[in-house]
Amino acid sequence: MHRMLHEPLPSTSNALLDYFLAALGGETYYPLGGNTGLPAGALESLDHNVVLAATPVSVRVFDEALLRSAEYRDTLLVRHGFSPETLDPVRVDVALRSTAGPILVPDLSLFRDMDGQLHLVPQHQDLFLTVGPDGIWVSLIAPFDRWTDRAAGLERAAADVVRACSRARAGL
């Protein structure tokens, strides 16, 4: 996987971008150029028509930039704080491109199903997203049957994030 990142990006942001890049697959990711209003180090996948960005800023301050970006492509922003999934919850804000204009779906949690597929799920019934080799897919149907299944999938994803960030901090 070929990608170029800006140097000042925190190792945890890099680790979480890698986590999403692995789910998407594809070969080439480019730094997003220009003054987009998104955090430094945002990447664009031409294969999937997706922009990915990550930030330790845990509050929602990038909504307008996400909506502007989604005029042309789906955009994911991973907000991870300084201790992802140990002290700070990882939340993903997604702005989806649509014919009616961009749609913002904020505060999604990472969910890993039993087959290893990465999903983004809301707190309550809303849009559910799947991140995979075909890009980002939206569904009104949850990727789990029971709330206990939801909890297990959230725990699997949280464990993945903790491992990825620990390896990044250790320089592995």
Side-chain angles (χ1 to χ4, degrees):
M1 185 174 347
H2 170 70
R3 65 189 188 101
M4 300 174 281
L5 291 177
H6 298 283
E7 287 301 317
L9 206 58
S11 63
T12 51
S13 292
N14 271 329
L16 287 165
L17 285 175
D18 285 341
Y19 184 75
F20 277 88
L21 294 175
L24 283 169
E27 294 298 318
T28 308
Y29 299 89
Y30 299 98
L32 189 62
N35 184 8
T36 64
L38 292 171
L43 299 173
E44 182 173 22
S45 167
L46 300 178
D47 298 334
H48 300 101
N49 202 26
V50 171
V51 169
L52 297 168
T55 180
V57 177
S58 58
V59 294
R60 287 180 46 199
V61 295
F62 295 101
D63 289 358
E64 289 180 33
L66 285 166
L67 289 168
R68 277 194 311 274
S69 180
E71 291 180 21
Y72 307 103
R73 62 231 169 239
D74 296 332
T75 306
L76 280 82
L77 173 66
V78 183
R79 294 182 287 118
H80 56 78
F82 291 103
S83 301
E85 296 296 10
T86 52
L87 297 177
D88 302 309
V90 173
R91 294 291 179 256
V92 181
D93 301 325
V94 180
L96 300 168
R97 174 176 52 96
S98 83
T99 56
I103 300 167
L104 183 63
V105 187
D107 297 318
L108 299 169
S109 298
L110 281 70
F111 174 92
R112 188 67 81 171
D113 68 20
M114 292 294 289
D115 295 328
Q117 182 71 51
L118 179 62
H119 302 272
L120 302 173
V121 299
Q123 280 293 102
H124 305 287
Q125 191 67 26
D126 199 352
L127 296 178
F128 297 88
L129 286 78
T130 301
V131 179
D134 295 326
I136 300 170
W137 291 95
V138 178
S139 175
L140 293 173
I141 300 170
F144 50 85
D145 294 325
R146 297 181 309 266
W147 286 103
T148 54
D149 296 338
R150 182 183 191 278
L154 294 174
E155 288 173 2
R156 280 190 291 275
D160 287 348
V161 166
V162 169
R163 278 191 296 272
C165 292
S166 295
R167 283 193 303 269
R169 285 188 187 124
L172 302 175

